[in-house]
Amino acid sequence: MWAEHLLLGLFGLCAGAALSAGAFAFLLMLNIVPRMVGKTRTGNKILLYENMIILGAILGNLYTVFLGWRLPLGHVFLGIYGIGAGFFVGCMAAALAEILKAFPILFRRVNLNTGLWLVVLAMALGKSAGSLYYFLRDIQP
């Protein structure tokens, strides 16, 4: 019985390591962290970025998988967390689209040279409006 649990634990550890390596490789391929460091001009704090990414992965894993903690921080914290998570997903989506050259090709085909920031803002507002609609109507995906 204990050998079976040990084998399952080892299998889970290996699968988690492979999955996290793939997720971090995806983030690195999208060049998100170096781009954020460049935009904020905080290259002297690169070790802090690395430590916070690792700490976030470890604490997120502990929180969601093992400990089952409940953080009674209220609706304000939930709103702040939602905005932060939305920024992260938006940055990842924009970085992936930029890597795939989707936006430049689209803008060149429709001959759009000025007002690109308005297009990006419209996409962000549309995504926010859709998310709010799903949230307020309690629609499950």
Side-chain angles (χ1 to χ4, degrees):
M1 182 72 152
W2 65 270
E4 184 177 310
H5 288 287
L6 186 65
L7 184 65
L8 284 174
L10 182 64
F11 179 74
L13 184 66
C14 291
L19 184 66
S20 66
F24 283 119
F26 182 66
L27 286 174
L28 289 174
M29 181 199 70
L30 290 178
N31 211 14
I32 291 176
V33 176
R35 186 172 299 154
M36 291 295 177
V37 169
K39 293 284 185 184
T40 58
R41 293 183 179 88
T42 54
N44 58 342
K45 295 183 177 29
I46 192 69
L47 289 176
L48 180 65
Y49 278 99
E50 292 174 358
N51 290 334
M52 291 300 109
I53 290 171
I54 292 169
L55 184 65
I58 291 170
L59 291 179
N61 184 27
L62 286 175
Y63 176 72
T64 58
V65 176
F66 294 111
L67 300 178
W69 292 337
R70 290 192 44 85
L71 296 176
L73 298 176
H75 296 291
V76 173
F77 177 76
L78 183 62
I80 293 169
Y81 173 78
I83 290 171
F87 280 140
F88 176 75
V89 171
C91 286
M92 275 192 55
L96 182 60
E98 187 175 320
I99 291 294
L100 296 175
K101 307 289 187 224
F103 288 142
I105 292 171
L106 172 70
F107 294 153
R108 190 174 33 232
R109 290 225 173 126
V110 297
N111 200 17
L112 182 63
N113 297 325
T114 58
L116 297 179
W117 68 274
L118 289 172
V119 174
V120 174
L121 180 65
M123 287 190 285
L125 290 175
K127 177 72 174 166
S128 298
S131 297
L132 281 174
Y133 178 78
Y134 271 74
F135 177 73
L136 293 175
R137 295 282 184 140
D138 197 27
I139 298 173
Q140 300 297 323

